[in-house]
């Protein structure tokens, strides 16, 4: 008989069974992880039965259930994706995910399987902007392991290079998510692996993005000369790819933090000229694609830092407009968060504490965050708060929230 329950319902039942728990045992374990008092035991057992039968737990219970089973919310209850990856793969290759995995276990690999892997990789990279980190890191690592294992198969030279390149893209993605989650050491190791794969595959674009990651890491930890060095190294290996635009943007951000306005404009102009001469990307969702909206995002950061508040505010409003669907759903929550920090900084400088606090608080909301980048930009708002509003209780409360965000991320804590 077919089990029509959602995958998460089958999983929590399986997790419970694996621990030899009765439903009463599960409820008692759930209670131990709950932040507040739960309803009476018999009532919770009935609720647990409903969950195992397929009734979706609400937002309060989902993280508690996940904690009970030692996982993260979006690993157990995946967020809906904006692209139907399985359908895309099926339409393009005629294969479902299970068949792809089955084919990967064979001694040789055909072109259709590699096509399916390319589509899968693109889908994962396209989900980076909004998929919760806990969910994306699991999927990314699973596919990276599968692709890396292909190196043991019988491959032609062309297939070998293709597999190296796919491994490199997936390593880049995993490294980015690791860094978003505050795991600096893992992210750097994964970045180095991606660079090694790019070198072996002679793939300048993957190599360029590995250098861009080094620039990003250096930027968020205050090593601004390191940013410039990494940006220049990446530009040398991938001068004709869109990553060169992002490298110019990172360099401009570093010069802005060093206080060199002329070099900011030089770097931004270099990025503009590069981007202007490139064809419009086919897939704007892919994290490793640079589009005009992304360049506005770099410029916004720079102009905020050099005190061009009107320009920074205008660009922040444009970033929010481009990063939000007509129905209010956010396509680019991480960019939007930094745009709100920018609006908060400019409001604080204008003496509008209420708007500054509102924007600052909204920037700290949401499941999808790049914690290092968010803390880096929020430092500026924190500095404005301390400078102008240090006696205001609401400002002190915002500073406390920011401190909590960074306290478990050594090296990212605002000063």
């Amino acid at each position: 008989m077919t089990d029509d329950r959602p995958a998460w319902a089958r999983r929590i039942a399986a997790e419970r069974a694996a621990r030899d728990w009765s439903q009463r045992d599960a409820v008692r374990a759930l209670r131990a992880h709950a932040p507040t008092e739960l309803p009476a035991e018999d009532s919770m057992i009935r609720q647990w039965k409903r969950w195992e039968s397929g009734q979706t737990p609400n937002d309060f219970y989902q993280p508690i259930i996940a904690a009970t089973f030692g996982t993260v919310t979006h690993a157990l209850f995946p967020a809906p994706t904006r692209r139907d990856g399985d359908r895309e793969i099926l339409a393009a290759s005629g294969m479902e995910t299970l068949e792809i995995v089955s084919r990967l276990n064979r001694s040789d690999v055909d072109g259709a399987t590699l096509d399916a892997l390319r589509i899968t990789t693109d889908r994962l990279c396209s989900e980076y902007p909004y998929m919760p980190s806990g969910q994306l890191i699991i999927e990314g690592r699973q596919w990276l392991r599968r692709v890396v294992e292909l190196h043991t198969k019988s491959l032609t030279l062309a297939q070998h290079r293709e597999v190296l390149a796919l491994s490199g893209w997936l390593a880049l993605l995993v490294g980015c998510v690791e860094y978003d989650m505050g795991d600096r050491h893992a992210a750097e190791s994964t970045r180095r692996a991606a660079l090694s794969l790019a070198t072996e595959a002679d793939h300048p674009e993957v190599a360029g993005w590995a250098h861009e990651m080094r620039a990003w890491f250096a930027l968020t930890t205050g090593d601004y000369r390191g940013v410039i060095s990494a940006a220049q190294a990446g530009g040398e290996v991938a001068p004709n790819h869109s990553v060169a635009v992002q490298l110019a943007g990172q360099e401009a951000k570093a010069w802005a933090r060093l206080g060199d306005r002329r070099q900011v404009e030089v770097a931004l102009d270099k990025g503009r000229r590069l981007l202007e001469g490139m064809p419009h990307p086919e897939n704007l969702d892919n994290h490793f694609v640079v589009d005009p909206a992304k360049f506005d995002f770099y410029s916004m950061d720079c102009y905020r830092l050099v005190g061009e508040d009107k320009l920074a505010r205008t660009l922040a409003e444009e970033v929010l407009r481009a990063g939000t669907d007509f129905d209010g759903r956010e396509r680019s929550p991480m960019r939007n968060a930094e745009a709100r920090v920018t609006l908060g900084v400019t409001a604080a400088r204008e003496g509008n504490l209420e708007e500054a606090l509102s924007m600052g608080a909204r920037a700290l909301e949401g499941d999808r965050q790049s914690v290092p980048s968010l803390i880096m930009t929020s430092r500026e708002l924190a500095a404005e708060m301390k400078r102008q509003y240090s006696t205001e209780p609401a400002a002190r409360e915002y500073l406390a929230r920011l401190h909590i965000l960074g306290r478990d991320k050594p090296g990212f804590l605002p000063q």
Side-chain angles (χ1 to χ4, degrees):
M1 184 175 177
T2 303
D3 189 342
D4 294 326
R5 292 178 299 166
W8 59 262
R10 297 195 298 271
R11 178 174 171 183
I12 65 172
E15 292 269 7
R16 178 177 62 78
R19 291 165 172 76
D20 293 323
W21 287 350
S22 66
Q23 291 177 333
R24 188 175 299 276
D25 293 331
V27 165
R28 289 173 178 169
L30 186 79
R31 197 178 297 280
H33 288 85
T36 59
E37 185 66 26
L38 299 182
E41 190 166 277
D42 287 345
S43 174
M44 284 305 305
I45 291 171
R46 289 193 294 273
Q47 181 63 68
W48 189 280
K49 291 178 184 292
R50 288 192 288 269
W51 292 337
E52 287 199 5
S53 68
Q55 184 182 94
T56 306
N58 62 27
D59 291 343
F60 172 77
Y61 282 110
Q62 286 187 11
I64 306 174
I65 296 169
T68 299
F69 291 129
T71 186
V72 295
T73 304
H74 292 291
L76 194 55
F77 305 98
T81 62
R82 311 211 179 150
R83 299 170 60 185
D84 189 336
D86 291 338
R87 183 173 295 176
E88 289 181 21
I89 295 168
L90 182 61
S93 65
M95 287 182 278
E96 295 181 339
T97 299
L98 186 61
E99 184 178 352
I100 298 171
V101 174
S102 176
R103 283 171 173 250
L104 296 180
N105 292 326
R106 297 178 183 175
S107 59
D108 57 353
V109 178
D110 59 18
T113 304
L114 286 177
D115 286 341
L117 288 175
R118 278 191 290 269
I119 297 165
T120 300
T121 301
D122 178 72
R123 189 260 299 177
L124 289 168
C125 293
S126 299
E127 290 173 343
Y128 172 85
Y130 56 84
M131 181 180 281
S133 300
Q135 181 178 342
L136 187 56
I137 196 72
I138 291 170
E139 283 200 55
R141 285 171 174 166
Q142 285 175 340
W143 282 106
L144 178 57
R145 282 194 295 270
R146 290 164 181 163
V147 174
V148 167
E149 286 172 1
L150 290 180
H151 296 296
T152 64
K153 308 294 183 183
S154 175
L155 301 172
T156 66
L157 180 59
Q159 287 176 331
H160 179 67
R161 291 186 63 184
E162 176 74 9
V163 168
L164 287 170
L166 289 172
S167 300
W169 285 119
L170 288 167
L172 290 171
L173 175 66
V174 168
C176 286
V177 182
E178 287 170 338
Y179 199 71
D180 287 338
M181 298 172 75
D183 194 344
R184 292 171 58 189
H185 298 297
E188 174 60 15
S189 295
T190 309
R191 185 197 72 81
R192 288 176 180 271
L195 183 59
S196 176
L197 289 163
T199 302
E200 189 176 351
D202 191 21
H203 200 293
E205 192 173 10
V206 171
W209 280 106
H211 286 291
E212 191 279 335
M213 286 174 66
R214 183 163 72 91
W216 173 34
F217 297 176
L219 184 71
T220 54
T221 52
D223 178 13
Y224 305 133
R225 294 292 175 181
V227 178
I228 295 165
S229 174
Q232 292 173 351
E236 289 176 4
V237 300
N240 301 315
H241 296 278
S242 69
V243 65
V245 179
Q246 184 140 326
L247 288 162
Q250 299 289 30
E251 184 177 349
K253 289 183 178 186
W255 284 121
R257 286 165 171 81
L258 289 168
D260 193 325
R261 173 63 184 269
R262 188 180 73 83
Q263 291 295 338
V264 169
E265 294 294 354
V266 168
L268 285 177
D269 189 58
K270 176 184 177 182
R272 287 189 197 99
R273 287 185 285 104
L274 285 169
L275 185 57
E276 193 68 34
M278 293 178 178
H280 194 68
E282 292 183 8
N283 179 14
L284 296 179
D285 291 331
N286 191 307
H287 177 60
F288 302 108
V289 163
V290 179
D291 63 292
K294 208 170 191 180
F295 198 77
D296 286 342
F297 174 67
Y298 308 146
S299 301
M300 172 197 77
D301 181 271
C302 295
Y303 288 129
R304 181 187 69 247
L305 283 157
V306 298
E308 291 282 0
D309 290 347
K310 288 185 179 178
L311 274 174
R313 176 175 283 274
T314 298
L315 286 168
E317 290 169 349
E318 178 59 24
V319 168
L320 284 169
R321 185 201 64 77
T324 307
D325 283 331
F326 68 92
D327 60 359
R329 185 176 60 179
E330 298 201 355
R331 292 196 300 271
S332 305
M334 290 181 288
R335 287 191 214 174
N336 288 359
E338 293 188 37
R340 291 187 176 104
V341 170
T342 295
L343 293 175
V345 169
T346 58
R349 289 171 180 167
E350 294 166 359
N352 189 340
L353 176 59
E354 183 178 354
E355 182 183 358
L357 288 170
S358 173
M359 289 295 106
R362 289 193 66 188
L364 299 181
E365 296 171 355
D367 291 332
R368 187 62 178 104
Q369 294 179 340
S370 176
V371 173
S373 295
L374 183 56
I375 290 178
M376 177 188 71
T377 54
S378 295
R379 283 195 190 110
E380 297 162 44
L381 182 52
E384 293 292 338
M385 293 290 185
K386 289 177 180 178
R387 185 172 66 85
Q388 298 191 61
Y389 310 107
S390 60
T391 61
E392 294 286 343
R396 291 202 300 268
E397 182 181 346
Y398 169 78
L399 293 172
R401 287 187 64 191
L402 189 59
H403 185 84
I404 290 169
L405 180 66
R407 68 183 177 186
D408 297 325
K409 305 292 184 293
F412 299 133
L413 190 64
Q415 303 299 314

